Amino acid sequence: MLRFVLTRALSLGLSLVVASLVIFAMIEVIPGDPASFMLGLNAQPEAVAALRDDLGLNGSLVARYLGWVGGLVTGDFGISYTYRVPVSELVVERLQVSLPLALFALGLSTLIAIPIGMFAATRRGQVSDYAIMGTTQLGIAVPNFWFAMLLVMLFAVQLRWFSAGGFPGWDKGIGPAMKALTLPAVALALPQASILARVMRSSLLDVLHQDYMRTARAKGLTMAQATRRHALRNALIPVLTIIGLQFSFLLAGAIIIENVFFLPGLGRLIFQAITQRDLVVVESVVMLLVFAVILVTFLVDVAYAVVDPRLRRRR
């Protein structure tokens, strides 16, 4: 197991190096002069020269890359051109909203999807199976921002159970903060739960037709007992893949939902940084998100090995 983890950790490190090279090239090299891009076409040459000096763009590419990577490793992401504060402060502040929101939505989607997928798989071809498949298809097709607006109209405007938007901050207490994140989390979770439930159903159906399941039933186990003891563990492997991908999407892909609910999250920060041409923020946050995706992939691979020990011997 230790060798497996070390091998995957080495692969993670190499992936991060490649990703940093690609991001650095795409933002600071390929587009041309980043300072001219940030200030616009009508910028004065003196202002462009001053910004180039401020951003450290006058050095060699190798020195700039090593300086950027060294700053990332030590937590120095540079100074935001728009906000005039360290990018690390912006990221930490926004993660306090985006990370709990992503975990909240991921927990909801998993808790909803796995029981529903199991229920549908064990009742294949029945009315309840068709009803669940139709509902999940609708959940995938409906855009989450439209569903978010429905939630606001029903639970915030009509029933007044939740606020229509905004985030009070964690210093106001866990209760008010989680209440503000509930509707956004539900809006994010339902489409993801629909996808996950269909994957769970398909995966479990494949496992239920394996020979060892017939053997388990022949020994006297009920369908529920055989599913719980033998099928569920193997059926979870593709589900773990989807959960890992969903977390990455929820962490960075909630831009529209964060704007619908006026949440000061990481997705909204990226959107604002792109519109304001703040390349320092874009570059650092994109690298941070890539790191999060690769780290989650690493953890999913380790979870594979825990769920199915045969995978350790194959690598």
Side-chain angles (χ1 to χ4, degrees):
M1 184 66 182
L2 179 61
R3 182 179 179 184
F4 173 82
V5 173
L6 290 176
T7 304
R8 298 303 301 160
L10 179 61
S11 175
L12 182 148
L14 292 175
S15 300
L16 284 176
V17 172
V18 173
S20 66
L21 286 169
V22 172
I23 292 171
F24 179 80
M26 293 184 67
I27 293 182
E28 293 204 18
V29 179
I30 296 176
D33 187 358
S36 300
F37 175 77
M38 293 171 68
L39 293 176
L41 297 175
N42 299 322
Q44 297 296 323
E46 296 79 8
V48 174
L51 183 58
R52 285 185 59 82
D53 184 61
D54 189 33
L55 296 176
L57 299 176
N58 294 321
S60 66
L61 284 176
V62 175
R64 285 163 52 192
Y65 171 75
L66 293 177
W68 175 61
V69 172
L72 292 177
V73 172
T74 59
D76 180 10
F77 295 177
I79 304 296
S80 166
Y81 175 73
T82 304
Y83 299 97
R84 290 297 176 186
V85 297
V87 176
S88 57
E89 291 184 9
L90 289 173
V91 170
V92 170
E93 179 184 343
R94 303 305 179 96
L95 272 177
Q96 293 177 15
V97 178
S98 291
L99 188 58
L101 176 61
L103 292 173
F104 194 178
L106 188 67
L108 278 178
S109 67
T110 305
L111 289 175
I112 294 171
I114 290 182
I116 288 177
M118 293 177 61
F119 183 82
T122 54
R123 288 162 177 77
R124 183 184 185 186
Q126 299 181 16
V127 175
S128 55
D129 181 27
Y130 290 125
I132 289 174
M133 288 299 97
T135 304
T136 54
Q137 184 63 51
L138 185 64
I140 296 172
V142 173
N144 58 5
F145 64 85
W146 184 76
F147 188 65
M149 293 175 66
L150 290 181
L151 291 176
V152 170
M153 292 172 64
L154 177 60
F155 292 103
V157 178
Q158 294 294 330
L159 300 176
R160 299 182 183 277
W161 291 354
F162 297 91
S163 62
F167 185 71
W170 294 103
D171 55 337
K172 301 295 183 183
I174 295 178
M178 293 304 292
K179 187 177 180 180
L181 295 179
T182 298
L183 292 185
V186 172
L188 286 170
L190 288 185
Q192 306 304 319
S194 299
I195 298 171
L196 199 58
R198 296 178 74 89
V199 173
M200 184 69 206
R201 176 184 177 274
S202 300
S203 177
L204 192 55
L205 282 176
D206 290 339
V207 175
L208 290 178
H209 290 88
Q210 299 294 321
D211 291 339
Y212 64 84
M213 286 298 296
R214 297 190 186 93
T215 304
R217 294 297 306 278
K219 289 182 176 178
L221 294 180
T222 65
M223 175 60 80
Q225 289 173 330
T227 301
R228 188 174 58 255
R229 294 182 187 179
H230 302 288
L232 184 60
R233 187 166 181 164
N234 291 324
L236 282 177
I237 292 176
V239 175
L240 288 173
T241 303
I242 301 300
I243 291 176
L245 294 174
Q246 285 185 343
F247 177 76
S248 307
F249 168 79
L250 292 171
L251 185 60
I255 296 174
I256 296 177
I257 295 300
E258 288 182 358
N259 278 279
V260 170
F261 289 97
F262 303 105
L263 295 176
L266 201 59
R268 200 174 181 195
L269 174 65
I270 297 173
F271 177 75
Q272 292 170 336
I274 292 173
T275 57
Q276 294 163 348
R277 301 184 179 186
D278 194 340
L279 295 183
V280 179
V281 173
V282 174
E283 188 177 38
S284 301
V285 174
V286 169
M287 188 62 213
L288 183 68
L289 292 174
V290 169
F291 172 73
V293 171
I294 293 175
L295 179 62
V296 170
T297 304
F298 167 75
L299 295 177
V300 169
D301 285 348
V302 174
Y304 283 168
V306 173
V307 172
D308 188 352
R310 294 173 298 177
L311 296 176
R312 301 177 213 164
R313 295 190 288 269
R314 293 177 186 173
R315 305 186 182 192

